[in-house]
Amino acid sequence: MARQVVFATSEIYPFSKTGGLGDVMGALPLTLHKMGVPVAVVTPFYGRLRTGRQKIDHIADNLHVGYPWAPVAANVYSTTVQGMPVFFIDRAEYFDRKYYYNTVSQDYFDNAERFIFFCRASLALLRFLGTPPAVIHAQDWQAGLLPAYVHYYRRDDSFWAGTSTVCTVHNMAFQGRFASRLFDNCGLPWEAWNMNGVEFYGDLNMLKAGLNYADRITTVSPNYAREILQEENGYGLSGVLHNRAKDLLGIINGVDYSIWNPATSRFLSANYSPEDLEGKNKCKEDLIAELGMLPRMNKRPLFGFIGRLRGQKGIDLLNRIVPRLMERDVGIVVLGEGNEAYELESIALGRAYPGRYCAVVKYTEDLAHRIQAGCDSFLMPSRYEPCGLTQMYALKYGTPPVATAVGGLKDSIVPWPDPQATGFTYYHPDAQDLLETILEVCALWEDNQAAWRGMTVRAMNQNFSWDASAVKYLEMYRELGLRG
Ligand code: ADP
C-alpha cells in the first residue's frame, strides 16, 4: 500500500459537522484523492452517525489504545467515500452523545479524555493497518496531540521514523486547554511538560502541542496567517507561532461546488445561474412564504445570516441595530444556534418585528441553502474570521456579502465601490459601521438595480473551488516526503 496522507479530524461532512471544519474535511481529502494522492481520514464514530445510510464495516474489535492509566480499547469501523477510505474510532462512552463537544450551556466535562483517546486510538489504528503514513495531518486542538506523539515515537520506534506531521488551525480561539493533572492521561514523556511543549500557563494545551511539534503549521487563509502572529489575535499563542513562522502557511479554504451550487442544489425550489437569474426571484418568494414573512418583503432588500450564535460571528452587533434597520423596512433572516443569550435575543426580535425579522434557532442544512439563495445580501459581521465559508457560498448564490474586512473575509470579497466588487466590507467590527454599510447596500439595491445585478453576476462567477488550494497542500506534503 502506498504511504498515505492521513487526516485526523473531529468532523467530516456528511458524517459530522458543526461548522467549517466539517465542510473542509468533507472536501479537501476527497479533492486530493481524486487527484490521485493516497489519502485516508480518521474521525470519531459519533452516536449521530449510526442513523446514517452509508454502508459501514466493522474492521477491528477491542483495538488496544494503550491509555496510560487504564486498558481502554476502541472499535473501528470503516467506509469509503468515492473510493477514499474513512475510518471511525468508536467508543460509545466518549462519542455516542447528542452533541459533539458541548451542550447548549457547557463543554463536556471529559473533552480532554475524549480527544486524548481519539488521538491515541488513531495511532493504534495506523499501526494495526500496518503501513506507516507519510504524513499525519491533524486538524485543530482535537487532533493537536498527534504531532507530539509522533515527535516522541519516531525517536525510537522505526515504524514512525518516516512519518511527518502537519497541524491545521481552523480557529485560534479554540485550544483544548485543560487542567495540568490531565497531562498524565496523555502518556507523553515528562519532557513535553514545558512551555516549548504542551504546557500553557500551568495548563495542558492541546493546540499548542500541535503548533510546537508539527513539522508544518497551516491555517485557513493567508490573511488569518498574518493576523494570528499579532498578539491581539493569537489568543496567547502568537509567540509560539512567531517561533514557527517559517513553517506557517495560510492556504485559503475552498468551496465544494458539487454541494453549494444554485444551479444544482436539490434544496431549492428553483435553480439558477449567472446566465439566468430568474430562479433566484422564485427562491426569494418561496423563502418569504416558508418563513411566514410579510409578502411585501418581496419588494424590499432581504438580508440573511447563518452561523454559530457566538460573539465571534457578531450576531450581537447585528441584533443591536435591528430597530434602525426596521425603520428602513428591510427583511432579516437569522439561522443559527449557539449561545443561549443570543438565541433568546434573536427569538425576542422575531416577536418584536413579526414578518420582517425571522430567527430560526436550529441546525438545518437545507434551510441554509434556501437562505443563501433567497436573500439579496448575506451578513457576516464577524469580529474575526479565520476563513469563513458562508460568504463564499453567498458569492456563488449571487447574494453579495456584507462583512468585516478580517481574516478570510478580506481574502475572498472584492469590496464595493471597486469596479470588480463582489460584496461590501467595512473595517471596524462594531454596530455603527455595520449599520452604515447595510444602509449603503439598501441604497444601491433600491437606486441602481443594474449595478446590483452586475455585482451579483460577478459574485457568482468567482471561483473558490478546492483545486488550487489542494495543490498547495500537495506541494507541502511532497516537501515533507510524500512520494508520487
Ligand atoms: P465556522 O466554521 O466558524 O462555524 P464557516 O462559515 O466556515 O464558519 O462555516 C459554517 C458552516 O456551518 C457553513 O456550512 C454553514 O452553512 C453551516 N452552519 C452554521 N450554522 C448553521 C445552522 N444553524 N444550520 C445549518 N448550517 C449551519
Side-chain angles (χ1 to χ4, degrees):
M1 187 165 68
R3 296 189 56 200
Q4 291 174 315
V5 176
V6 176
F7 289 84
T9 176
S10 58
E11 296 178 28
I12 172 172
Y13 182 84
F15 303 105
S16 53
K17 167 175 165 180
T18 68
L21 171 64
D23 282 347
V24 170
M25 284 296 104
L28 170 63
L30 203 53
T31 307
L32 289 161
H33 168 77
K34 287 181 189 159
M35 289 161 63
V37 181
V39 165
V41 181
V42 187
T43 193
F45 190 71
Y46 295 107
R48 293 177 177 207
L49 272 177
R50 292 182 200 280
T51 57
R53 263 173 287 161
Q54 184 94 3
K55 183 176 176 307
I56 290 181
D57 300 315
H58 190 192
I59 62 156
D61 223 1
N62 282 320
L63 182 76
H64 181 61
V65 171
Y67 235 14
W69 75 98
V72 185
N75 285 316
V76 184
Y77 293 82
S78 82
T79 191
T80 54
V81 178
Q82 299 178 47
M84 178 187 77
V86 180
F87 297 98
F88 299 99
I89 303 290
D90 171 45
R91 188 167 174 90
E93 72 173 291
Y94 290 142
F95 301 123
D96 193 357
R97 299 185 184 177
K98 185 166 175 206
Y99 300 99
Y100 296 102
Y101 317 120
N102 49 268
T103 65
V104 277
S105 52
Q106 59 190 355
D107 287 349
Y108 285 131
F109 75 98
D110 58 350
N111 272 348
E113 200 169 313
R114 298 171 76 214
F115 289 101
I116 293 170
F117 176 80
F118 170 62
C119 291
R120 294 185 67 100
S122 300
L123 295 173
L125 168 67
L126 294 170
R127 255 206 182 270
F128 169 82
L129 294 174
T131 309
V135 178
I136 295 180
H137 191 157
Q139 312 296 318
D140 273 348
W141 71 264
Q142 290 90 342
L145 289 175
L146 279 164
Y149 289 123
V150 172
H151 172 85
Y152 289 109
Y153 290 0
R154 70 187 172 194
R155 287 200 308 204
D156 42 32
D157 181 342
S158 59
F159 182 84
W160 299 108
T163 299
S164 301
T165 56
V166 178
C167 175
T168 290
V169 186
H170 295 259
N171 193 330
M172 283 301 290
F174 299 102
Q175 300 186 355
R177 184 174 175 176
F178 303 100
S180 59
R181 64 186 163 75
L182 291 163
F183 175 71
D184 288 344
N185 294 13
C186 297
L188 284 165
W190 260 109
E191 62 191 284
W193 187 253
N194 72 80
M195 58 179 282
N196 298 316
V198 304
E199 188 259 338
F200 183 70
Y201 298 104
D203 288 338
L204 166 68
N205 185 318
M206 296 198 192
L207 182 64
K208 187 175 180 185
L211 301 184
N212 271 330
Y213 290 103
D215 297 300
R216 290 286 203 295
I217 301 164
T218 73
T219 190
V220 289
S221 68
N223 194 36
Y224 194 58
R226 287 186 291 272
E227 287 177 354
I228 56 181
L229 287 168
Q230 296 157 3
E231 208 178 328
E232 61 272 28
N233 300 316
Y235 291 85
L237 291 174
S238 57
V240 174
L241 289 167
H242 262 287
N243 293 340
R244 302 290 325 265
K246 73 172 179 26
D247 297 317
L248 170 67
L249 184 66
I251 303 177
I252 193 152
N253 283 337
V255 175
D256 186 341
Y257 289 125
S258 69
I259 295 171
W260 293 97
N261 186 345
T264 53
S265 173
R266 63 195 163 88
F267 300 120
L268 307 183
S269 53
N271 292 110
Y272 59 93
S273 64
E275 294 72 41
D276 180 6
L277 279 165
E278 196 40 47
K280 188 161 171 70
N281 297 332
K282 168 112 174 60
C283 289
K284 180 171 177 178
E285 233 171 74
D286 290 346
L287 179 68
I288 285 170
E290 176 182 353
L291 299 177
M293 298 180 81
L294 298 173
R296 122 167 152 256
M297 287 299 123
N298 277 300
K299 301 263 179 280
R300 300 297 303 146
L302 184 62
F303 293 89
F305 173 104
I306 302 168
R308 292 175 290 111
L309 300 185
R310 298 260 173 179
Q312 176 198 341
K313 299 288 175 183
I315 181 66
D316 53 321
L317 304 175
L318 171 62
N319 282 345
R320 203 178 306 159
I321 60 169
V322 165
R324 291 291 306 280
L325 292 172
M326 290 297 125
E327 288 167 16
R328 202 72 158 73
D329 199 28
V330 303
I332 300 177
V333 182
V334 169
L335 169 65
E337 52 177 17
N339 182 312
E340 209 173 359
Y342 296 143
E343 289 186 355
L344 294 174
E345 184 180 277
S346 304
I347 292 167
L349 282 167
R351 294 212 179 98
Y353 301 103
R356 290 194 292 153
Y357 178 106
C358 175
V360 183
V361 177
K362 329 191 241 210
Y363 193 98
T364 83
E365 200 73 22
D366 53 338
L367 182 58
H369 285 252
R370 289 196 290 280
I371 292 173
Q372 292 279 10
C375 289
D376 296 296
S377 173
F378 188 80
L379 302 176
M380 212 141 168
S382 305
R383 289 189 164 85
Y384 69 93
E385 195 59 69
C387 179
L389 291 170
T390 42
Q391 84 282 7
M392 297 202 235
Y393 302 157
L395 292 169
K396 185 68 182 175
Y397 280 63
T399 310
V402 175
T404 27
V406 295
L409 300 174
K410 196 170 173 184
D411 284 332
S412 54
I413 299 168
V414 182
W416 176 262
D418 188 294
Q420 295 308 314
T422 56
F424 301 79
T425 63
Y426 58 97
Y427 276 89
H428 300 290
D430 62 35
Q432 185 59 32
D433 282 16
L434 173 63
L435 175 64
E436 280 167 21
T437 313
I438 295 179
L439 294 179
E440 197 182 346
V441 173
C442 292
L444 189 71
W445 189 90
E446 286 161 357
D447 303 339
N448 194 344
Q449 269 294 318
W452 187 267
R453 210 182 163 83
M455 187 179 330
T456 300
V457 169
R458 269 194 308 279
M460 294 181 81
N461 283 328
Q462 299 295 301
N463 184 357
F464 290 100
S465 75
W466 266 106
D467 301 338
S469 294
V471 167
K472 294 192 177 134
Y473 281 104
L474 180 55
E475 281 164 8
M476 176 180 65
Y477 301 144
R478 290 210 170 114
E479 281 168 29
L480 291 172
L482 178 74
R483 298 222 178 78

